[in-house]
Amino acid sequence: MPNAAILAVGTELLFGQTVNTNAAYISEQLQLLGYNVLYHFTVGDNPGRMKHALALAFREADVVLTTGGLGPTQDDLTKEMIAEEMGVKLVLDKEAMARMEEVMLSLGRKNYTENNKKQAWLPEGAAPFYNTAGTAPGFALERNGKTAIALPGPPREMEQMMRESAIPYLAKKSDSVIYSRVLHFYGIGESALETALLPIIEGQTDPTVAPYAKEGEAHVRISSKRASVEEAAAAVNLAAERAQALAGAYLYSMDGEEYWEVVVRLLREKGKKLAAAESCTGGLFAGMITSVPGSSEVFDRAFVAYSNESKAELLGVAQETLDLGGAVSGPCCREMAAGALSHSAADIAVAVTGIAGPGGAIPGKPVGTVFFGVAVRGADGEPRVSVSGKNFRDRGRRVNRRVCVLELCDLVRKELERD
Amino acid sequence: MPNAAILAVGTELLFGQTVNTNAAYISEQLQLLGYNVLYHFTVGDNPGRMKHALALAFREADVVLTTGGLGPTQDDLTKEMIAEEMGVKLVLDKEAMARMEEVMLSLGRKNYTENNKKQAWLPEGAAPFYNTAGTAPGFALERNGKTAIALPGPPREMEQMMRESAIPYLAKKSDSVIYSRVLHFYGIGESALETALLPIIEGQTDPTVAPYAKEGEAHVRISSKRASVEEAAAAVNLAAERAQALAGAYLYSMDGEEYWEVVVRLLREKGKKLAAAESCTGGLFAGMITSVPGSSEVFDRAFVAYSNESKAELLGVAQETLDLGGAVSGPCCREMAAGALSHSAADIAVAVTGIAGPGGAIPGKPVGTVFFGVAVRGADGEPRVSVSGKNFRDRGRRVNRRVCVLELCDLVRKELERD
């Protein structure tokens, strides 16, 4: 199994202004390709420290990937330092030069500088990785059994070059591949899920089954490392089916889909339209549903009824209901759901009213008290409404509201699957 | 100016499962304390690689901070490796032992293991940093002019120990402090902002004025490094005032407040209530406004009018308007804003309708075409409505919708400041 190290070059990382998400992205990709990551390094635009880090990286790693320092200024030294470390000189890459000239002309910059031309020089013998999301090319360079791969620093450019050039290049060098799937569960905690999945966790070395908590949900990553992608995929798919058999009641997505994406897909499949009446989530549920491209086909409208007056006026909640039980109550939620259905063209309407915190708690109704409603049109044309109350643990306003959005998604999915 | 390096110990970081946010947090704090950060390293629970990284770090850095590897298992080796590198042995810290026993008893674990006791051993001569958010203590150890600081890996424990112990410890060793402010601008690009601020950027070494782009906004970080926090703050505040004089028309926040936080604060100050009619943002504007605690005092309601029918039914948009100009048009937006005002108890209503992409573009209306409306109650009781059209550059559905939310915030702020 080949070893790898990652060297990030960038002063903004050492200042703490930017978090090094590149290292995590590249590490994850390397894992999937069957590489063992030994080190991450970050240095500024400093030749001495780049040299020290490269030397330490190459001591144990077969492949060293760098990010950043490929730009046109005198500060950008990554190419020079890699060439020096590997004992080659820089030569002009004509294709890189032609591409750079084309970009400069298209930007109307006829008098691009010598600095810009610097980007077209690559280490002699390097395989160029042309940049389709920016101007600075990257490359792979092999010498004496070691490989250096240079990538740009901006995450969008780096990820595109990884996908288009570096991953295919590295896949050829690895003798094993990793295949992974992430299963999403809602309504079960991380430890309860781990207990439920024990039969496929205990004593297993491949595939690995790893549950982890994720702001109101639980995710499970199933990974297998095998000689071929077909073998690895077969092992992962079998474990995923066993996970479904063991904890399927809580499983909402087997391929990393977010819950709102699942809801939009199911609505499209069933040809149903959705409406919502939101109080404590304040539009966040509608905002997440409509974050999915194409949601306009299945999402009719939402009533963000934040004030008591708006609950009465928009949804027809009776003043008596508000006076007797308050806005955070089962009866109010029932009328909100029924009102959202009757005041819309939707087939399903959901409603939520609760206390998101940090303020707003009242005796008997702490932060985390939330009521949920679902209304559908019954066979007789009358709305059929069901309401449930929850006492969520207070995890701060942001997470409390997110959990409410997940619960609403859960209610819509279960209603659609009941059909 | 003292030099520092940061060493993170954790296999989950090398797997790419976890992003190393600790390094960015610590770097930012070290900057503020006047330390120059030279390196970040990440290694797994591997004694050889920890040793290599520590040796390289101590070659140039006066202070090396580690995160992780302080737990009770055999894998956790950070203390041992630091003690070895600095030539001291581990000794039992009685206070750490007493605290650990207390926690274990409070958890009902009478038979805690030898492993747990391992956490109470610290390098001889170390100043202990007791952990008030977990069990593993950290420490500072000085030998031969070099300082090692060991912190736990979980971000919450690490940050608490930084605040309580490491920052006060490091502040004593530094001869300068950094003070910073972040100014938020909307409606001006990063380079245009840089040009506007040239008089306070060019030739300045302290305070530094650094503009950077942030998904539809531009931020400016102003930092000063001086002998005292008072001197640094005075220099930063003066530069902030000059930035306000140079580009105040686009400045919405001088202390890092998000635009929706500014809007909620201004509404409270003016005693005004807000409503919204959202099409392409699909509830996201209301969702962001109501993410601010206390927004219920100023936010009345929102109409998420996603379908054409809902625009007519909820907001009274005329069928003729929809037929003639379509839902993405100035006249439709005007009627949406007026409808949101007349169908609510708000003093100000905003409306938005546009094409968020990736689908939905029509001839003459590419993705990024958006109309915005603002309605207020005029002196005569009649609504006063203004509408504007924008052609935003398509930056993907998520950012397109975020820019719409920022524009709505901008419209509300300008309306409130007109009063």
Side-chain angles (χ1 to χ4, degrees):
Chain A
M1 185 172 181
N3 289 323
I6 301 168
L7 168 62
V9 182
T11 309
E12 71 285 4
L13 299 168
L14 294 178
F15 283 172
Q17 288 168 347
T18 305
V19 174
N20 188 4
T21 53
N22 283 350
Y25 173 85
I26 295 172
S27 295
E28 203 162 11
Q29 299 304 319
L30 288 173
Q31 277 285 316
L32 297 178
L33 290 161
Y35 285 78
N36 189 22
V37 180
L38 306 181
Y39 286 105
H40 296 170
F41 302 92
T42 305
V43 296
D45 304 307
N46 178 290
R49 289 193 275 277
M50 283 176 68
K51 200 175 162 64
H52 293 324
L54 278 173
L56 179 50
F58 273 121
R59 238 166 98 165
E60 291 176 77
D62 306 293
V63 179
V64 177
L65 296 99
T66 66
T67 57
L70 297 179
T73 74
Q74 295 302 320
D75 281 353
D76 294 305
L77 289 169
T78 303
K79 271 187 314 209
E80 288 75 2
M81 298 312 301
I82 289 175
E84 189 181 314
E85 181 67 26
M86 299 185 94
V88 303
K89 58 181 182 171
L90 294 180
V91 294
L92 182 70
D93 185 275
K94 284 184 186 154
E95 169 79 16
M97 189 67 177
R99 283 167 178 260
M100 207 262 302
E101 281 174 342
E102 201 176 304
V103 171
M104 288 297 160
L105 286 173
S106 77
L107 293 172
R109 297 196 204 151
K110 281 182 194 154
N111 305 313
Y112 50 86
T113 61
E114 284 304 313
N115 277 351
N116 291 120
K117 289 184 194 164
K118 176 174 176 287
Q119 290 187 89
W121 289 71
L122 297 180
E124 190 164 25
F129 291 168
Y130 298 115
N131 190 334
T132 55
T135 55
F139 60 86
L141 177 63
E142 305 204 16
R143 290 276 287 190
N144 309 321
K146 301 282 184 179
T147 303
I149 290 188
L151 302 164
R156 207 173 64 91
E157 294 182 36
M158 181 280 294
E159 288 180 22
Q160 195 152 320
M161 195 176 286
M162 278 291 285
R163 277 194 302 271
E164 292 176 354
S165 305
I167 289 173
Y169 188 94
L170 289 166
K172 279 192 223 148
K173 302 175 67 71
S174 174
D175 54 0
S176 63
V177 294
I178 293 191
Y179 183 87
S180 292
R181 281 174 79 171
V182 177
L183 277 54
H184 289 201
F185 295 81
Y186 174 76
I188 184 169
E190 183 198 359
S191 17
L193 183 59
E194 186 162 24
T195 306
L197 298 180
L198 267 188
I200 57 169
I201 293 177
E202 269 188 333
Q204 290 283 346
T205 54
D206 187 300
T208 56
V209 178
Y212 53 100
K214 186 83 191 278
E215 293 198 330
E217 328 179 29
H219 292 183
V220 173
R221 175 183 286 271
I222 304 178
S223 300
S224 172
K225 181 186 295 183
R226 301 287 169 103
S228 77
V229 71
E230 291 76 16
E231 268 181 67
V236 167
N237 294 341
L238 187 65
E241 279 166 34
R242 293 196 60 199
Q244 188 173 23
L246 292 165
Y250 307 99
L251 178 64
Y252 74 79
S253 141
M254 291 187 78
D255 290 291
E257 259 184 316
E258 299 292 350
Y259 218 155
W260 33 93
E261 294 173 325
V262 170
V263 164
V264 169
R265 179 171 53 71
L266 290 175
L267 286 165
R268 291 173 90 150
E269 285 171 14
K270 301 262 179 180
K272 302 269 183 175
K273 281 186 185 279
L274 178 67
E278 302 188 52
S279 183
C280 59
T281 50
L284 191 63
F285 173 71
M288 297 316 284
I289 292 287
T290 60
S291 73
V292 183
S295 50
S296 56
E297 287 172 38
V298 297
F299 191 70
D300 179 50
R301 70 192 71 180
F303 307 83
V304 182
Y306 220 53
S307 63
N308 276 4
E309 295 72 33
S310 65
K311 289 181 184 70
E313 292 168 19
L314 296 181
L315 298 161
V317 175
Q319 192 57 48
E320 202 188 350
T321 307
L322 292 166
D323 290 344
L324 281 176
V328 180
S329 68
C332 176
C333 193
R334 176 177 297 275
E335 294 179 34
M336 286 171 68
L341 191 71
S342 60
H343 293 80
S344 75
D347 305 292
I348 304 175
V350 287
V352 57
T353 179
I355 298 162
I362 46 175
K365 289 178 185 167
V367 171
T369 306
V370 189
F371 292 88
F372 296 92
V374 186
V376 293
R377 297 186 201 279
D380 55 356
E382 286 299 297
R384 179 164 58 79
V385 187
S386 56
V387 169
S388 53
K390 295 266 182 182
N391 287 297
F392 294 121
R393 181 164 59 87
D394 180 12
R395 282 179 277 190
R397 184 175 179 89
R398 193 182 65 78
V399 178
N400 293 346
R401 287 170 24 116
R402 186 184 150 91
V403 171
C404 290
V405 169
L406 291 169
E407 177 72 21
L408 289 169
C409 290
D410 202 52
L411 290 167
V412 177
R413 176 173 73 91
K414 286 180 177 156
E415 184 56 46
L416 288 169
E417 288 180 347
R418 185 175 300 151
D419 266 9
Chain B
M1 186 172 181
N3 289 322
I6 301 169
L7 169 62
V9 182
T11 310
E12 70 285 4
L13 299 168
L14 295 179
F15 282 172
Q17 287 167 346
T18 306
V19 173
N20 188 3
T21 53
N22 283 349
Y25 172 86
I26 295 171
S27 294
E28 204 161 11
Q29 299 304 319
L30 288 172
Q31 276 285 316
L32 298 177
L33 290 161
Y35 285 77
N36 189 22
V37 180
L38 307 182
Y39 286 106
H40 297 170
F41 302 93
T42 305
V43 295
D45 304 308
N46 177 291
R49 290 192 276 276
M50 283 177 68
K51 200 174 162 65
H52 293 323
L54 278 173
L56 179 50
F58 273 122
R59 238 166 98 165
E60 291 176 77
D62 306 293
V63 179
V64 177
L65 295 99
T66 67
T67 56
L70 298 179
T73 73
Q74 295 303 320
D75 282 353
D76 294 304
L77 289 168
T78 304
K79 271 187 313 208
E80 287 76 1
M81 296 313 300
I82 290 174
E84 188 181 315
E85 181 67 26
M86 300 185 94
V88 302
K89 57 180 184 172
L90 294 180
V91 294
L92 182 70
D93 185 274
K94 284 184 185 153
E95 170 78 17
M97 189 67 179
R99 284 168 176 258
M100 208 260 302
E101 281 175 342
E102 203 175 304
V103 172
M104 289 295 160
L105 286 173
S106 76
L107 293 173
R109 298 196 204 152
K110 279 181 195 156
N111 304 313
Y112 50 86
T113 61
E114 284 304 312
N115 276 352
N116 290 120
K117 289 184 191 162
K118 176 174 178 284
Q119 291 188 89
W121 290 71
L122 296 179
E124 190 164 26
F129 292 169
Y130 298 115
N131 191 334
T132 55
T135 57
F139 60 85
L141 176 64
E142 305 204 14
R143 290 275 288 189
N144 309 322
K146 302 281 184 181
T147 303
I149 290 188
L151 302 164
R156 207 173 63 92
E157 294 182 35
M158 181 280 294
E159 288 180 22
Q160 194 152 320
M161 194 176 285
M162 277 292 284
R163 277 194 303 272
E164 292 177 354
S165 305
I167 290 173
Y169 188 95
L170 289 166
K172 278 192 223 147
K173 301 175 68 72
S174 175
D175 53 1
S176 63
V177 293
I178 293 191
Y179 183 88
S180 294
R181 280 175 80 170
V182 177
L183 277 53
H184 289 200
F185 294 81
Y186 174 76
I188 184 169
E190 183 197 0
S191 17
L193 183 59
E194 185 161 24
T195 306
L197 298 180
L198 268 188
I200 57 169
I201 293 177
E202 269 190 330
Q204 289 282 347
T205 53
D206 186 299
T208 55
V209 178
Y212 53 100
K214 187 81 191 278
E215 293 196 330
E217 329 179 29
H219 293 183
V220 174
R221 175 182 287 270
I222 305 178
S223 301
S224 172
K225 182 185 296 183
R226 301 288 169 102
S228 76
V229 72
E230 291 75 17
E231 268 182 66
V236 167
N237 294 341
L238 188 64
E241 280 167 32
R242 293 195 63 200
Q244 189 172 23
L246 292 165
Y250 306 99
L251 178 64
Y252 75 79
S253 144
M254 292 186 79
D255 290 291
E257 257 183 318
E258 300 291 350
Y259 217 157
W260 33 92
E261 294 173 325
V262 171
V263 164
V264 169
R265 178 171 52 71
L266 290 175
L267 286 165
R268 292 173 90 149
E269 284 170 15
K270 301 263 178 179
K272 301 269 183 175
K273 280 186 186 278
L274 179 66
E278 302 188 51
S279 183
C280 59
T281 50
L284 191 63
F285 172 72
M288 297 315 284
I289 292 287
T290 59
S291 74
V292 183
S295 50
S296 55
E297 287 172 39
V298 297
F299 191 71
D300 179 49
R301 71 192 71 181
F303 306 83
V304 182
Y306 219 53
S307 63
N308 276 4
E309 296 70 34
S310 65
K311 290 179 182 73
E313 291 168 19
L314 296 180
L315 298 160
V317 175
Q319 193 57 47
E320 201 189 350
T321 308
L322 293 166
D323 291 344
L324 282 176
V328 179
S329 69
C332 176
C333 192
R334 177 176 297 275
E335 293 179 37
M336 286 171 68
L341 191 71
S342 61
H343 293 81
S344 75
D347 305 292
I348 303 175
V350 287
V352 58
T353 178
I355 298 163
I362 46 176
K365 288 178 186 168
V367 171
T369 306
V370 189
F371 293 88
F372 295 92
V374 186
V376 293
R377 297 185 200 278
D380 55 357
E382 286 299 298
R384 178 163 60 78
V385 188
S386 56
V387 170
S388 53
K390 295 265 181 183
N391 288 297
F392 293 121
R393 181 163 58 87
D394 180 12
R395 283 180 276 190
R397 185 176 179 89
R398 192 183 65 79
V399 178
N400 293 346
R401 288 173 20 120
R402 185 184 151 90
V403 171
C404 290
V405 169
L406 290 168
E407 178 72 20
L408 289 169
C409 289
D410 201 53
L411 290 167
V412 177
R413 176 174 72 91
K414 286 180 176 156
E415 184 57 47
L416 288 169
E417 287 179 349
R418 187 174 298 151
D419 265 7

